[in-house]
Structure formats: structure tokens, C-alpha cells
Amino acid sequence: MKILVTGGTGFIGKALVKALIGEGHWVTVLSRSPENVERIFGPEVIGLGHLSFLQPDASFDVIVNLAGAPIFDARWSEARKRLIRESRIGLTEQLVACIERMTVRPKLLINGSAVGYYGDQGDQILTEASSVRPDFSHRLCADWEQAASRAAEFGVRVCLMRSGLVIAGDGGLLQRMLLPFRLGIGGRLGSGRQWMSWIHREDWIRIAQTMIADETMQGPYNATAPNPVTNRQFTSTLARCLHRPALFPVPAFVLKTLFGEMSELVLGSQRVLPERLMMHGFMFRHPDLEGALQAALATKSGSFET
């Protein structure tokens, strides 16, 4: 298949592209630095600098839309929140406009989203059918999904992946946590009672591959492992995997002082189950946190196995 991946040089996208190449697909990557695409993936992957370079006769069987400014890299000023929204929603609107103009339209659009869609919901168990609690993360994800869903008007099957914390050894939030925990100064965040829904990157990619192969899949799917944990459980499990103590909690007021509104990313609670994936019969290779962390910590940087 011919597949376009936006955000293909990011933490998830890079591993996805390598997996797609391994399956024999022809991959194009949309990147602000298209010259880096060949360096990362080799000459068989095409780098595309801007969606405006796509002509109406360009054709792809599948588009995977993962582009977006990092959500945790800077404090959420109003300018930063506009950038976060525009880099997701604005680009997705441009992408759907390109799809509308295409002579031959893709069969499938897989669009990134996040469990932040549900908002902070405490201990409530959440499925794809659950109600939401409005906040910045919910509005961001909801508007992003709405922009992507418009592709269905042009005969495109749309799958929305509401991802939890994606775990792998070469990036993401886990990499940010490793140094303090390896130094023995890690600990729970706030009360530690907030739920963390997570997924190993290998399973995330296998979900995307399943969506490509199975034409019956459409709509929202929670891309999370079936066993969410509290922050206290997550941090204690990580410490145990590293053979270190977890004795230094960070109080909620410190996180709110340091990060402001952005602290909702680590203090908010989403206890999410992948109900639709489980009903579909998807089998997770990493259903439990300790095994997933052990696999991530054992993986050499940049490697991925399907």
C-alpha cells in the first residue's frame, strides 16, 4: 500500500514508519525537515515538506495523521495553547481539504487523539461511550477528532486512536522519568491516586496495523492497555523495575506552581479501558505494566520489533 504519515519522525511515528517499511509498504512522511526523512529511514521513504506540495492526482491508500507540537515541552501560555491546537486541528483541516481535492481518495484515515478526550474523571471507568468532562485537553482532542471525521464525507473510513501514555525505551514520558528514578529520587506525583492509562508502543503500532488490514474498523478506539494503574502504582512499579526506591513524592501544589494549567496532564485522572478493541478481539502483547516497562527498558534506543 501507499501510506502517508504526518508526524512520521516523532516518537510514535518513527517506529510506525519503520514497521510499515518492514511490511513492504511505500511510505511518504510529512515533515517540517523533509531532508531528515532519508537520513532517518533511507532512500525508500519520501520526505514531503508541506501539504501544499500534494497535487490532486497524488494518491494514498492510507493516511496516518500524528502531527502536532509536543504537548509537554513548554508551559501552557495562551500562545502555546494556540500553537498546540493549530498544529493538530489546523493541519488536520488542511489534510482533509487535500483529501477532498484528490482524484483518488484514500480508503482510510487514522487520526491521533488521546485519552485526554475524556477530561479529569477520577476513579470513573471510561470507555469509548463514556461522557466527558470539558477542559483544555478534552476540547483539543474533541476538535481534532471532529476535523478528522469530516473525511468521512468524502468516502474515507476514519479511525480515531485515543492514546494513553505510550511506553517505549527511546523517548516519551518514560524517558523523562528515567533519570530521577535511576538516581533514586523518584516518587509519586501529587496524591498518586490519579489513574494513568498507558500502552506499550509496540501494541499501539499493532493496533494501527490492524486498522489498516480490517475494513470493518471505524470510529473512536481507546488505544490503551486493558490494565490502567494509579500514579502510585506506576511510579512504584517503575522504581521496582529499576531496583530503586520511590521515596520522593512531588506535592500537587509544586506541580501546579511549576507547570500551571499544564499540570492537569500529570494530576488529571483517566481510568480508560479499550472496550472496542477487546470486543474486536485484539490481543495485547503487553497487557500488564511491569512486563511493558521491562520490555521498554530492555529495548535498545531506536529499535522496534513487529
Side-chain angles (χ1 to χ4, degrees):
M1 291 187 180
K2 294 175 66 177
I3 300 177
L4 171 65
V5 181
T6 75
T9 58
F11 168 58
I12 299 174
K14 189 186 300 183
L16 174 64
V17 170
K18 290 178 180 178
L20 294 173
I21 295 170
E23 291 185 316
H25 298 295
W26 292 278
V27 182
T28 298
V29 170
L30 178 68
S31 172
R32 287 172 295 179
S33 302
E35 66 278 3
N36 291 334
V37 171
E38 180 175 343
R39 177 181 58 80
I40 295 171
F41 302 112
E44 65 267 37
V45 176
I46 299 171
L48 180 69
H50 198 277
L51 286 173
S52 62
F53 298 155
L54 286 179
Q55 300 300 314
D57 60 353
S59 65
F60 299 97
D61 299 292
V62 176
I63 298 176
V64 183
N65 183 30
L66 305 176
I71 200 166
F72 204 77
D73 276 15
R75 190 182 175 97
W76 286 355
S77 63
E78 290 304 312
R80 181 68 185 179
K81 289 198 288 186
R82 285 195 297 272
L83 173 64
I84 290 170
R85 286 182 57 85
E86 180 61 25
S87 64
R88 287 164 173 77
I89 299 160
L91 186 139
T92 301
E93 290 173 343
Q94 295 173 34
L95 186 61
V96 173
C98 287
I99 290 172
E100 182 179 9
R101 292 193 297 269
M102 287 179 176
T103 305
V104 179
R105 291 164 178 160
K107 299 180 179 68
L108 169 65
L109 170 62
I110 298 175
N111 195 76
S113 187
V115 295
Y117 173 88
Y118 300 104
D120 182 0
Q121 301 232 35
D123 293 329
Q124 179 70 37
I125 293 176
L126 303 170
T127 71
E128 291 86 353
S130 295
S131 59
V132 302
R133 180 179 177 185
D135 56 17
F136 174 73
S137 294
H138 162 70
R139 291 189 296 273
L140 173 67
C141 294
D143 291 348
W144 195 11
E145 291 185 8
Q146 183 178 26
S149 295
R150 186 169 171 264
E153 299 174 13
F154 310 113
V156 179
R157 179 167 61 94
V158 179
C159 289
L160 307 167
M161 291 183 70
R162 294 174 182 167
S163 303
L165 166 66
V166 180
I167 293 175
D170 61 341
L173 184 58
L174 178 60
Q175 189 177 60
R176 295 173 182 269
M177 298 175 70
L178 284 180
L179 180 59
F181 275 81
R182 281 179 169 151
L183 293 174
I185 56 174
R188 72 176 190 274
L189 302 179
S191 69
R193 293 193 296 269
Q194 69 273 30
W195 286 88
M196 298 176 68
S197 297
W198 59 274
I199 187 169
H200 192 286
R201 187 174 62 186
E202 180 182 5
D203 279 328
W204 192 102
I205 290 171
R206 291 178 58 247
I207 293 168
Q209 291 169 321
T210 303
M211 290 173 170
I212 291 171
D214 191 335
E215 296 182 359
T216 68
M217 297 181 73
Q218 61 181 341
Y221 291 86
N222 292 331
T224 62
N227 297 297
V229 296
T230 64
N231 178 264
R232 183 188 294 272
Q233 292 170 322
F234 188 100
T235 50
S236 63
T237 303
L238 176 58
R240 184 168 61 252
C241 290
L242 294 170
H243 308 290
R244 296 289 190 273
L247 303 176
F248 294 89
V250 182
F253 79 87
V254 173
L255 293 167
K256 291 177 180 177
T257 300
L258 289 174
F259 300 119
E261 186 181 1
M262 190 173 67
S263 63
E264 71 182 42
L265 292 177
V266 293
L267 295 176
S269 181
Q270 290 98 25
R271 188 180 182 181
V272 177
L273 295 181
E275 183 175 73
R276 294 194 69 206
L277 285 173
M278 292 189 292
M279 291 175 63
H280 192 77
F282 183 84
M283 299 295 293
F284 288 83
R285 288 186 182 168
H286 304 282
D288 299 304
L289 179 63
E290 184 160 358
L293 288 174
Q294 294 284 14
L297 294 171
T299 301
K300 293 181 180 179
S301 177
S303 67
F304 177 76
E305 296 180 359
T306 56

